Amino acid sequence: MKQLRPLSIFFLICLIWSQSSLSAREVPSGGEMLIDLVLARPMGLVGTVLGTGAFIVASPFTLLSGTFIQSGKRLVLYPAKFTFTRGLGDFPGYMEEYQIVEE
């Protein structure tokens, strides 16, 4: 239990640093980059792997319902872009440019 105290304090400090707003021309802070490197990227990788597995399992059903491409984008493409294509520490609005609504 005592080992978790320094880790939780470290996490809270990083969280406080990441609360500053980020404009389009502003460089992310060290805290934002650290949280991205330590927490967000590994979770994005796990999300990409789990989403790919879920997509493979669900693909027969999505083919029948006509949502194959949409489910592929949501389960595989968006987590992969979150993990591999955005800049380190760049969080705000990353999904806005990828948001595609098909009717």
Side-chain angles (χ1 to χ4, degrees):
M1 193 70 168
K2 288 185 179 184
Q3 295 173 353
L4 292 177
R5 177 170 258 160
L7 184 62
S8 62
I9 292 171
F10 174 74
F11 177 72
L12 288 174
I13 290 171
C14 291
L15 191 62
I16 290 170
W17 277 340
S18 71
Q19 294 300 318
S20 64
S21 64
L22 180 69
S23 69
R25 306 231 182 248
E26 196 173 317
V27 176
S29 70
E32 290 169 334
M33 289 182 172
L34 185 63
I35 287 176
D36 190 8
L37 182 67
V38 173
L39 295 174
R41 297 289 172 140
M43 288 187 335
L45 183 60
V46 168
T48 303
V49 170
L50 292 176
T52 302
F55 175 70
I56 291 170
V57 170
S59 62
F61 306 108
T62 59
L63 278 171
L64 293 173
S65 67
T67 59
F68 183 78
I69 293 175
Q70 185 180 12
S71 65
K73 287 178 182 177
R74 291 287 179 183
L75 293 173
V76 180
L77 184 65
Y78 291 165
K81 284 188 175 188
F82 174 81
T83 305
F84 298 111
T85 62
R86 67 185 170 82
L88 189 63
D90 186 20
F91 288 108
Y94 75 93
M95 287 289 284
E96 291 172 6
E97 64 184 272
Y98 305 122
Q99 196 75 299
I100 299 171
V101 177
E102 296 178 17
E103 294 182 23

